[in-house]
Amino acid sequence: QVQLVESGGGLVQAGGSLRLSCAASGMINAMGWHRQAPGKQRELVAAISSYGNTNYAESVKGRFTISRDNAKNTVYLQMNSLKPEDTAVYYCNAGRFLREVVAGTADYWGQGTQVTVSS
């Protein structure tokens, strides 16, 4: 069983930046972030494998960067040029394969961290 602990959410003005972190209790190949806004379905934000292969949602390309520190079993999401439509609860997720993290079917999920972008 892998535990995921997220941190770094908060309130920021449009155009600002935030950095999310997610620490896993053990080594796991694929990690990523999904988000869910009120009244909307959960959607992929970005995912990364232990080899550094990445996958981004079109809506965040060029603004968000996912990275990881394998030695610390931690994944990061650097969010720049934030928009009000980025407001959501952001969930870290992790699994054996990148495709399952991208699909949102991975086994392990964090508790979620709120990101609010004011206009």
Side-chain angles (χ1 to χ4, degrees):
Q1 191 76 4
V2 174
Q3 307 294 326
L4 302 175
V5 178
E6 301 135 331
S7 61
L11 173 64
V12 65
Q13 289 189 332
S17 298
L18 281 175
R19 188 192 194 207
L20 305 183
S21 299
C22 173
S25 59
M27 179 59 193
I28 194 158
N29 177 48
M31 301 183 74
W33 296 90
H34 279 66
R35 67 186 180 186
Q36 188 166 21
K40 295 188 176 181
Q41 288 189 330
R42 190 175 296 187
E43 63 177 3
L44 170 72
V45 179
I48 187 169
S49 73
S50 59
Y51 296 99
N53 297 319
T54 58
N55 190 303
Y56 290 92
E58 286 295 327
S59 60
V60 306
K61 282 183 179 178
R63 300 189 298 123
F64 292 10
T65 302
I66 191 168
S67 61
R68 64 187 289 167
D69 184 334
N70 290 334
K72 296 181 179 180
N73 298 323
T74 299
V75 65
Y76 306 96
L77 185 68
Q78 178 66 44
M79 304 185 293
N80 298 329
S81 302
L82 282 160
K83 304 175 181 180
E85 50 264 43
D86 294 317
T87 296
V89 178
Y90 283 69
Y91 296 91
C92 178
N93 63 327
R96 292 182 62 194
F97 304 107
L98 186 62
R99 62 178 181 271
E100 62 186 7
V101 171
V102 170
T105 57
D107 290 335
Y108 307 110
W109 290 83
Q111 77 284 0
T113 185
Q114 177 70 47
V115 170
T116 303
V117 184
S118 63
S119 57

